Amino acid sequence: NAGVMQNPRHLVRRRGQEARLRCSPMKGHSHVYWYRQLPEEGLKFMVYLQKENIIDESGMPKERFSAEFPKEGPSILRIQQVVRGDSAAYFCASSPAGINSPLHFGNGTRLTVT
Amino acid sequence: QKEVEQNSGPLSVPEGAIASLNCTYSDRGSQSFFWYRQYSGKSPELIMFIYSNGDKEDGRFTAQLNKASQYVSLLIRDSQPSDSATYLCAVNPSPSSNYKLTFGKGTLLTVNP
């Protein structure tokens, strides 16, 4: 049973470039959650998606960040025009229908903006 | 603003001892509480969750919850060097879902052989 799969594990981008982070949920899971862990900070909720729908994006920065979870394929977290402050570890979790299961996180993508 | 506070440590204990990790939270309406272990450079790994006042035991781990004091703790018995990691306390304020967790910054635990 594969867990939540994230790729790439490490991503380096120059300021102004775009970053795309991918998350494949566990088999049978239709709910995806993205969290960000800034250096020396706790994990912070960003967004909750179901297939083709954004359910809660209250933790997403207002600009440059977007997320999707298409009918087919992985969930994508997209960061446009990256800045150094976007350097962080981005973690994805998934759950089956019904959202009371404890979250299990993927291995994360560590984004470094140079 | 809802907050979860943890002593950043490092907390250093000898092998075989009991490690006690503490967490306080500000939102009195919080419903469920989680402990995650995170090794350096790795993802958070769920080790315990607790919903009701009192103790919950799982192997060498015991979670303790006191909602009146807004306090949750994790005890690790017979600590092993492999337990050396950062322990994250997470709190969920919602009675209907578990996805929007508020995390503390974590306590670094070092178990010395």
Side-chain angles (χ1 to χ4, degrees), chain B residues 13-20 37 39 57-62 74-84 87 109-113:
Chain B
V13 300
E15 184 174 357
I18 295 175
S20 178
R37 176 176 62 196
Y39 294 110
E57 186 174 318
D58 183 2
R60 294 187 297 113
F61 299 98
T62 299
L74 179 70
L75 300 178
I76 307 174
R77 289 180 299 281
D78 189 23
S79 295
Q80 302 297 310
S82 59
D83 295 327
S84 298
Y87 288 80
L109 172 66
T110 300
V111 180
N112 301 306

Side-chain angles (χ1 to χ4, degrees), chain B residues 15-111:
Chain B
E15 184 174 357
I18 295 175
S20 178
L21 302 154
N22 304 315
C23 172
T24 59
Y25 58 94
S26 61
D27 185 352
R28 185 168 289 278
S30 296
Q31 299 288 319
S32 48
F33 307 85
F34 304 84
W35 283 99
Y36 285 83
R37 176 176 62 196
Q38 187 174 29
Y39 294 110
S40 181
K42 303 296 185 183
S43 64
E45 174 193 7
L46 179 68
I47 53 174
M48 289 284 291
F49 59 91
I50 186 167
Y51 297 154
S52 304
N53 275 330
D55 294 1
K56 178 181 178 182
E57 186 174 318
D58 183 2
R60 294 187 297 113
F61 299 98
T62 299
Q64 299 175 316
L65 175 61
N66 184 328
K67 288 187 178 180
S69 300
Q70 295 175 241
Y71 176 92
V72 58
S73 65
L74 179 70
L75 300 178
I76 307 174
R77 289 180 299 281
D78 189 23
S79 295
Q80 302 297 310
S82 59
D83 295 327
S84 298
T86 297
Y87 288 80
L88 307 177
C89 173
V91 173
N92 174 42
S94 171
S96 59
S97 67
N98 271 343
Y99 71 86
K100 200 167 179 178
L101 303 179
T102 301
F103 279 83
K105 294 183 181 180
T107 298
L108 176 61
L109 172 66
T110 300
V111 180

Side-chain angles (χ1 to χ4, degrees), chain A residues 26-87:
Chain A
M26 289 179 68
K27 187 175 182 180
H29 287 190
S30 57
H31 300 231
V32 164
Y33 317 88
W34 286 93
Y35 277 72
R36 176 167 69 172
Q37 188 174 35
L38 291 165
E40 309 303 323
E41 295 290 329
L43 280 100
K44 301 241 186 276
F45 167 78
M46 299 181 76
V47 62
Y48 160 35
L49 309 106
Q50 294 179 19
K51 286 282 188 182
E52 300 184 279
N53 283 306
I54 297 174
I55 306 302
D56 181 351
E57 56 181 347
S58 57
M60 288 280 270
K62 294 289 184 275
E63 298 178 346
R64 302 187 296 106
F65 284 71
S66 62
E68 63 177 9
F69 189 14
K71 185 176 180 181
E72 301 291 337
S75 175
I76 305 287
L77 180 67
R78 181 183 180 203
I79 311 171
Q80 295 178 287
Q81 298 177 322
V82 295
V83 300
R84 288 215 172 113
D86 297 332
S87 296

